[in-house]
Amino acid sequence: MASTTFRVFRFQPDSGDLESYHQDFSLDHEEKTTVLDALLRIQNEQDGTLAVRYSCRSAICGSCACKVNGKTVLACMTQVEEAKAESGSSTLQVDPIGNFAPIKDLVVDMTSFWEKFKAVKPYLIPDGPAPQKERLVPKAAMEKVAKESACILCAACYSECNSLAADPEFVGPAAFAWGYRFAADERDAQRKNRAKLYSGQHGIWDCTRCMFCNERCPKGVDPRDAIEKLGAIAFQEKVTKDKGARHAKAFLISMRTGGKLNEQLVGGLTDPVGGAFNAPLALRMLQKGKLPASPLTHRVKNRDQVTKLIKNVKETI
Amino acid sequence: MPRQFAYYPGCVAEFSSKELNATTKALAPLLDIELLPMPQATCCGAGDIAEAKPNLYLTLNVRILSEAEEMGADILTICNVCTLNLRRANKMVREDPRLLEQVNGELVNAGARPYRGTIDVTHLLWYLATEEGLSLLEQRGPKGLGGLRVAPYYGCQLLRPSSVMGFEDPDRPQSLERLITALGGEVADYDGKTRCCGFPIILAREEVALRESHVALAGARDAGAQAMVTPCPLCHLAMDAYQRKTEQLMGEEYAMPVLHLPQLIGLALGLPTQTMEFKRHFTSVDEVLQTVGA
Ligand code: SF4
Ligand code: SF4
Ligand code: FES
């Protein structure tokens, strides 16, 4: 038997209390108990008003995501004793997932998450009339989208997405993992349209690469990698007007000119009209010697190899 | 015998943040490190080339690894982004012999040397934050940081994804804390230390990026830090060069000096302040220098 104190986030606005707080519950439990089982026992044995969302108890439905000692996990997939050992704390603080408004205790309002999910058109849109039989797809083609197909929409990735915290309208990791899953499916005929749909404001170029989504995803979906692959699809489809895409293009040009990043080129090509490199900051950058005087600086030895690679390497995304 | 490394400072430390490169080079002999130049090494492409041309991105990074292999030395970096990209490419080809073969085919066609997969990539922070590194610092008899209260700022790409980086727990990292303490500083702890500085999108989505760096800057300030320290030149640009813009956007003041990791070590070991080129910083470090008696 083990014993644990659970410091649980409480918020019960329907009872008239609009303030949230943490409440401690002590529980004696088996060594091998999950956080979800512990919460359900607290609900059954100590406080029937505790609100927890769950369904499958086996890491499939995606409804039990919450934060345990600050880290977003699936409650049904997380052993209490392991979480204690990992965080080095005998108390487990359980909070609702981040970047969402709590409705009641650990239950959050996921409306925005579903809206964004719908907005990426998460279904196949083939061309022409449906075939007589099912559409057969070679195994290799499905392997391309196997990781992303494993997403269970638990929102663990959203919970700590840094771009989302700064901009609640960012479409975000899970929706883009689904977006890639369809954009890269050879039965789908909307590759270019999808590239356009995903490339706007709050789209793929808003991802700040904080890597929290890859770190947190309990299913190994690696949504950040899916966003990266959507960028490559945008390039293949020549959907490169967005400032984010221009920034990536500037890197390529910079690589072609000298093999290294040239700050002046990248700044100028990303946003020729103003933006971040607007006058006062650019001036101070120049004064501090933080912008090169010429776009032709930085040349690596054996640059011809780089030129050849840029010319020869084929993209297979 | 000094430990030899193939030195990959990355593009930013070679230009925009020259002070970082200069300090690292000046520090190396004091740390028993010999930094071997890599004249053929290109930019790692950051996340940008990966987002546009993933196969090219992989091949360019493997070409860099191959140059180090030819030199017979592991790679040492001083940038989070370079570390992630080089390690990621290394992991990809080491785990997939067919992919390595394919990439090597491209390299050989372009006249470059094929890669055998024998190189490790480490960051200066990781090299120094081991028992060995810390005892090396102690032997150097640091004059110390005089109790300077320093907020460690890790940023993202040196911690995550841990499957590629793997030096320490990405949620509870301790390497910077260990260094700060070993050098006679005090740690100002705060939640924002593992969050994003926003730099990757600062040119494309400035406001979103500045809102991100605000979290770390405000966190460090509220924890009573006299300075922040970072192992990444891009985080440094976001926190230092853009600090005033963030202040303007958020309507708050941070007045937070931001030190590159080698500068913090340099201060503790008594490296001349001119060598560390603090004049290239946007936010003044004068008070920091006073506190440590530099
Ligand atoms: S990508 Fe991973 S973390 Fe995000 S919703 Fe899907 S399964 Fe959950
Ligand atoms: S890498 Fe991008 S999508 Fe993933 S959590 Fe960070 S900002 Fe969000
Ligand atoms: S209860 Fe279904 S994923 Fe945890």
Side-chain angles (χ1 to χ4, degrees), chain B residues 188-200:
Chain B
D189 204 12
Y190 64 114
D191 279 343
K193 66 185 176 186
T194 63
R195 292 179 66 96
C196 186
C197 70
F199 195 81

Side-chain angles (χ1 to χ4, degrees), chain B residues 38-106:
Chain B
M38 302 182 71
Q40 300 187 50
T42 59
C43 168
C44 72
D48 295 85
I49 290 188
E51 254 169 356
K53 302 208 178 267
N55 290 355
L56 176 64
Y57 152 83
L58 177 66
T59 316
L60 288 170
N61 277 283
V62 176
R63 183 176 167 276
I64 299 168
L65 295 164
S66 163
E67 183 182 10
E69 193 171 60
E70 192 170 15
M71 294 159 64
D74 286 336
I75 293 181
L76 185 80
T77 70
I78 45 172
C79 170
N80 288 7
V81 178
C82 302
T83 313
L84 172 62
N85 285 287
L86 288 167
R87 286 182 69 88
R88 184 181 175 206
N90 206 17
K91 187 172 187 316
M92 283 166 80
V93 293
R94 275 172 159 182
E95 286 178 357
D96 185 346
R98 270 183 28 215
L99 187 62
L100 177 61
E101 200 182 317
Q102 191 186 312
V103 170
N104 276 341
E106 298 285 3

Side-chain angles (χ1 to χ4, degrees), chain A residues 6-316:
Chain A
F6 291 86
R7 185 158 295 157
V8 185
F9 179 89
R10 302 303 308 264
F11 178 55
Q12 304 249 352
D14 43 1
S15 68
D17 187 359
L18 297 179
E19 292 290 317
S20 64
Y21 58 98
H22 284 92
Q23 184 177 356
D24 282 1
F25 297 96
S26 307
L27 191 76
D28 293 332
H29 57 84
E30 303 284 332
E31 288 287 331
K32 293 242 177 274
T33 291
T34 65
V35 173
L36 180 62
D37 282 337
L39 290 170
L40 294 177
R41 275 195 50 209
I42 292 170
Q43 191 190 53
N44 281 327
E45 297 164 19
Q46 300 185 33
D47 186 343
T49 68
L50 179 65
V52 183
R53 208 179 245 153
Y54 77 102
S55 175
C56 70
R57 294 194 190 192
S58 46
I60 288 172
C61 72
S63 32
C64 68
C66 60
K67 284 192 177 186
V68 175
N69 282 358
K71 174 177 166 182
T72 307
V73 294
L74 294 181
C76 70
M77 207 177 134
T78 306
Q79 296 282 336
V80 172
E81 290 306 302
E82 279 175 18
K84 277 156 70 180
E86 192 191 300
S87 60
S89 155
S90 57
T91 301
L92 288 191
Q93 180 166 318
V94 187
D95 288 294
I97 51 174
N99 287 333
F100 292 98
I103 302 174
K104 185 175 184 179
D105 298 339
L106 299 173
V107 175
V108 300
D109 178 3
M110 289 187 57
T111 314
S112 64
F113 181 78
W114 301 120
E115 299 279 302
K116 289 169 187 171
F117 173 59
K118 279 190 262 173
V120 299
K121 303 198 180 199
Y123 39 81
L124 288 175
I125 312 177
D127 235 357
Q132 296 294 81
K133 282 189 174 175
E134 73 270 35
R135 293 173 207 265
L136 292 179
V137 185
K139 188 163 172 260
M142 289 322 283
E143 275 169 0
K144 266 192 183 177
V145 295
K147 267 168 71 158
E148 292 76 12
S149 306
C151 172
I152 57 170
L153 289 166
C154 66
C157 52
Y158 274 54
S159 173
E160 283 164 71
C161 172
N162 282 200
S163 276
L164 203 56
D167 168 22
E169 286 185 61
F170 174 45
V171 174
F176 281 136
W178 281 76
Y180 169 77
R181 186 253 164 276
F182 291 102
D185 191 308
E186 62 174 40
R187 293 166 294 182
D188 190 82
Q190 296 294 311
R191 203 172 154 98
K192 181 156 194 150
N193 287 338
R194 286 185 191 276
K196 282 187 196 150
L197 178 67
Y198 307 157
S199 286
Q201 202 69 21
H202 316 296
I204 51 172
W205 304 108
D206 284 63
C207 164
T208 190
R209 305 182 197 141
C210 71
M211 305 289 166
F212 263 110
C213 53
N214 282 17
E215 189 65 37
R216 290 291 184 256
C217 176
K219 292 289 169 183
V221 172
D222 288 339
R224 161 63 210 162
D225 295 7
I227 295 174
E228 186 178 287
K229 288 183 273 187
L230 281 174
I233 287 180
F235 265 76
Q236 263 177 9
E237 300 296 331
K238 303 202 170 20
V239 181
T240 54
K241 279 215 184 86
D242 188 277
K243 266 201 253 174
R246 291 212 305 267
H247 189 245
K249 215 190 253 177
F251 257 77
L252 281 168
I253 296 172
S254 181
M255 185 70 86
R256 213 179 290 141
T257 23
K260 294 219 176 179
L261 166 73
N262 182 292
E263 294 84 346
Q264 198 188 56
L265 264 179
V266 169
L269 293 173
T270 304
D271 192 4
V273 210
F277 272 72
N278 56 16
L281 181 64
L283 204 66
R284 291 197 71 204
M285 288 269 207
L286 272 172
Q287 279 168 354
K288 296 275 178 189
K290 286 188 179 271
L291 284 178
S294 149
L296 294 176
T297 48
H298 310 317
R299 282 179 186 257
V300 302
K301 208 175 140 199
N302 288 340
R303 197 165 55 95
D304 57 315
Q305 295 175 359
V306 181
T307 315
K308 280 187 194 144
L309 290 175
I310 293 175
K311 204 165 134 240
N312 294 346
V313 174
K314 296 272 170 297
E315 297 301 330
T316 46

